[in-house]
């Protein structure tokens, strides 16, 4: 099963992805997480450090694929989750799509693309052009991380539109929204009323989650020493369990942009 | 003179751009603002509504450039500023670079690209791939809008790297940073210490600026009825005056990503 987690930059995609990956591993799955964000810090709380990107490694090897070994690009993270950072296009040049394409190609050459129960792509969702939509070509489900604000929901709608576009030619479904860092849900509710899709979970702002990034640890690792954090892990286990149940998912009917402005913004 | 305003999504690029455009017009310049963000609301506070995007218009005319008149795509905004929305690539397909390229091509065909004293491109800066770097090909100066947080400064560094890349083949300089919605400057100061560049202005979070978007008006238009807002307009006039003075600018020496994480984030 392949998952793609999208959302606006800074919304909590990577934090959420790392914890979902560990939750899936807790359910006995062999998981690979692939970061697809120019910020290339997707797997930081799984490994505790910034792993080199695929492009870094390929450049160091002068693009000789035959000289690249799995351990050059796949790093072991917490909970048995394997980690890869695709990174982003070089600044001012190149294309996000090329980077994702190269990453998948290399993993296939290393026979590392089909040996996992779950592969999770963590993807920047601010643009969702042809390039950044590339992970959707491989995904069975897309999950969108959003808060209760206009900008993140506008990005969510473009992501939903991309899923609809790709679902015409790929077996892709939208599993739903993950609300994050918010206790309010009024705009999220308004949005899903006009563009029906499941809301898998809504996580409030939790200081321990913010701290997890400073510590370079997932909530699961922190909960080993502080069991009072188990309630936070339950959010992520709940998401993992819903995905493992192979939900129907939806082919969303995104809202026209103008309607979205009228619906969600205080214009 | 051509300007490119970049920054992370939601940082305040469009609000800042519209007010800078009016400030330049107050100084007697004929200004065109071109929005280059999939959110296509760049010129909203200049016009008070969402103008159709270039791609919308071209599609409506079946891409017959000869049937497109200037008034189909160029809308009159407040203070005599003309407005164009390039928009973004269709969700899940296409390329941000194509949209910008088509926009400039069309404006040149309409003899509208060289009749302005200033053209200001308002560009989404989360990715700065080859596509979203396209406006830098036309710009004399780039300005980067940031707050005092890690994500926006990480984006700023990638934008600076793109300017350095483009400055090798174009007469482009980085005019500097515009801090926005922040009263703290410690991370901004840390960043410019390691990557020297001017800080043109720092605007705190001002409720009237947030409200300006709700009202669909620039601060200049609001100050007509409420002169106590003149102090806010002064921030933008200060930026405009610095740019009109044709500063030296810099070819920034962006920081390697890993250093940036060590420098700015609380990892
Ligand atoms: N529910 C939450 N509560 C508090 N902080 C959060 C939460 N989710 C994410 N964060 C924090 O938000 C910041 C951005 O998260 P990150 O996962 O890096 O975002 P993205 O991958 O979308 O850019 C991090 O500092 C992270 O710790
Ligand atoms: N200095 C400021 N103080 C308060 N609110 C601001 C300020 N600058 C921008 N905003 C608000 O921030 C939001 C995002 O601004 P916008 O210009 O649309 O961002 P961008 O174009 O970068 O996506 C808007 O609601 C705007 O009114
Ligand atoms: S397809 Fe997307 S990532 Fe690739 S160059 Fe174009 S805008 Fe950039
Ligand atoms: Mg991330
Ligand atoms: Mg904008």
């Amino acid at each position: 099963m392949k998952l793609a987690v999208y959302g606006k930059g800074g919304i909590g995609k990577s934090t959420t992805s790392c914890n979902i990956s560990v939750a899936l591993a807790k359910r006995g799955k062999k998981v690979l997480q692939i970061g697809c964000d120019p910020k290339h810090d997707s797997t930081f709380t799984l490994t505790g450090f910034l792993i080199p990107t695929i492009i870094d490694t390929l450049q160091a090897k002068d693009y000789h694929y035959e000289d690249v070994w799995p351990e050059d690009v796949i790093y072991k993270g917490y909970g048995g989750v394997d980690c890869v950072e695709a990174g982003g296009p070089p600044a001012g040049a190149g294309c996000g799509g090329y980077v994702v394409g190269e990453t998948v190609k290399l993993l296939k050459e290393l026979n590392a693309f089909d040996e996992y129960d779950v592969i999770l792509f963590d993807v920047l969702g601010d643009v969702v052009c042809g390039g950044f939509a590339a992970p959707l070509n491989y995904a069975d489900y897309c999950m969108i991380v959003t808060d209760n604000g206009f900008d993140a929901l506008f990005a969510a709608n473009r992501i939903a539109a991309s899923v609809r576009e790709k679902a015409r030619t790929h077996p892709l479904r939208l599993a739903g929204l993950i609300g994050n860092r918010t206790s309010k849900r009024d705009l999220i509710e308004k949005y899903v009323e006009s563009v029906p899709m499941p809301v898998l979970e809504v996580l409030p702002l939790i200081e321990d989650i913010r701290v997890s990034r400073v510590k370079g640890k997932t909530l699961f690792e922190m909960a080993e020493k502080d069991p009072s954090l188990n309630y936070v892990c339950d959010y992520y286990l709940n998401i993992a369990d819903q995905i493992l149940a192979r939900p129907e998912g939806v082919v969303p009917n995104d809202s026209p942009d103008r309607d979205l402005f009228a619906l969600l913004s205080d214009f």
Side-chain angles (χ1 to χ4, degrees), chain A:
Chain A
M1 178 161 70
K2 299 194 180 36
L3 307 175
V5 175
Y6 276 80
K8 193 183 148 42
I11 202 71
K13 289 182 301 302
S14 299
T15 308
T16 308
S17 292
C18 289
N19 284 294
I20 291 175
S21 288
V22 174
L24 291 165
K26 293 272 184 216
R27 297 307 194 222
K29 302 298 171 197
K30 183 93 189 93
V31 182
L32 171 69
Q33 182 167 321
I34 303 175
C36 306
D37 185 318
K39 210 167 41 166
H40 61 83
D41 64 344
S42 165
T43 57
F44 180 76
T45 59
L46 288 168
T47 59
F49 69 100
L50 289 172
I51 69 177
T53 68
I54 292 257
I55 299 295
D56 288 348
T57 305
L58 283 175
Q59 277 170 352
K61 307 236 175 198
D62 222 11
Y63 281 84
H64 290 294
Y65 284 83
E66 65 283 5
D67 293 342
V68 179
W69 300 96
E71 54 280 8
D72 294 330
V73 291
I74 302 173
Y75 288 72
K76 299 253 172 270
Y78 177 76
V81 176
D82 282 354
C83 304
V84 163
E85 287 289 343
C95 174
Y98 165 77
V99 172
V100 171
E102 288 294 295
T103 299
V104 172
K105 191 170 127 196
L106 180 66
L107 291 173
K108 284 188 174 165
E109 305 233 346
L110 298 173
N111 292 325
F113 198 64
D114 293 311
E115 62 167 50
Y116 293 93
D117 299 319
V118 181
I119 290 185
L120 187 153
F121 293 93
D122 166 16
V123 195
L124 181 69
D126 282 280
V127 176
V128 220
C129 50
F132 277 88
L136 293 176
N137 297 333
Y138 309 104
D140 301 301
Y141 295 107
C142 174
M143 291 183 278
I144 301 174
V145 181
T146 183
D147 61 15
N148 195 55
F150 175 75
D151 281 339
L153 284 165
F154 185 89
N157 193 56
R158 270 183 68 84
I159 298 162
S162 304
V163 170
R164 188 163 60 81
E165 172 73 27
K166 291 284 183 196
R168 293 192 321 189
T169 48
H170 298 78
L172 170 68
R173 289 292 177 271
L174 179 61
L177 274 188
I178 298 170
N180 190 42
R181 261 198 331 235
T182 180
S183 34
K184 282 169 53 184
R185 309 183 179 206
D186 55 319
L187 288 192
I188 290 175
E189 302 294 348
K190 258 191 189 174
Y191 177 67
V192 296
E193 232 174 81
S194 96
V195 181
M197 64 180 72
V199 178
L200 301 175
E201 186 54 274
V202 179
L203 288 96
L205 189 142
I206 298 173
E207 180 56 16
D208 290 302
I209 297 179
R210 194 192 66 72
V211 166
S212 75
R213 177 170 151 139
V214 179
K215 294 194 166 172
K217 294 187 194 319
T218 58
L219 273 295
F220 290 88
E221 188 171 353
M222 289 165 69
E224 276 179 17
K225 295 204 170 58
D226 178 3
S228 75
L229 294 178
N230 281 332
Y231 84 96
V232 185
C233 300
D234 289 345
Y235 285 111
Y236 303 111
L237 287 163
N238 174 36
I239 296 169
D241 289 340
Q242 289 180 66
I243 288 293
L244 291 174
R246 298 261 178 189
E248 188 76 42
V250 295
V251 177
N253 231 337
D254 54 297
S255 156
D257 283 353
R258 278 154 211 290
D259 294 358
L260 213 63
F261 276 98
L263 180 78
L264 293 178
S265 88
D266 39 13
F267 287 0

